[in-house]
Amino acid sequence: QVQLVESGGGLVQPGGSLRLSCAASGSILSINVMGWYRQAPGKQRELVATIISGGTTNYVDSVKGRFTISRDNAKNTVTLQMNSLRPEDTAVYYCNIRGRRLGGNFDEYDAWGQGTQVTVSS
């Protein structure tokens, strides 16, 4: 089973910065897509940013220019650097990794982190 462990999160004032990290472990053959989602109270979960194996990134418009997603292939980790944080960024952030796992037919996995709370408030 592929497991994800998130770290980071916390309380930060508007305009501040925070860095989230996610480490993957388990029966991993390859990691194809790594991403971050978030879910605010009363809202559906939304995709924040993704990075594919070749390094191409994609961001939701609301965070573009403020957030940066990166990955360390050797460590199977993905990081979300969040700058110029706003109150509307407050949410539980979830790491998501998709790829192929070891064994059998090398079927695709879709792993999620436990979620980490990000609160932006003065």
Side-chain angles (χ1 to χ4, degrees), residues 43-62:
K43 293 186 176 182
Q44 294 184 344
R45 188 173 300 185
E46 68 170 346
L47 179 63
V48 178
T50 60
I51 182 168
I52 62 175
S53 59
T56 302
T57 58
N58 187 67
Y59 302 90
V60 68
D61 287 343
S62 60

Side-chain angles (χ1 to χ4, degrees), residues 101-107:
R101 66 178 177 89
L102 291 167
N105 296 321
F106 308 111
D107 52 335

Side-chain angles (χ1 to χ4, degrees), residues 7 58 83 92 104 113:
S7 62
N58 187 67
N83 298 326
V92 177

Side-chain angles (χ1 to χ4, degrees), residues 36 38 46-50 56-69 80-86 88-89 93:
W36 289 93
R38 67 185 180 186
E46 68 170 346
L47 179 63
V48 178
T50 60
T56 302
T57 58
N58 187 67
Y59 302 90
V60 68
D61 287 343
S62 60
V63 309
K64 193 173 183 179
R66 300 187 296 119
F67 291 10
T68 302
I69 187 171
L80 185 67
Q81 177 66 46
M82 303 181 291
N83 298 326
S84 302
L85 283 163
R86 305 166 181 170
E88 53 263 40
D89 295 319
Y93 284 71

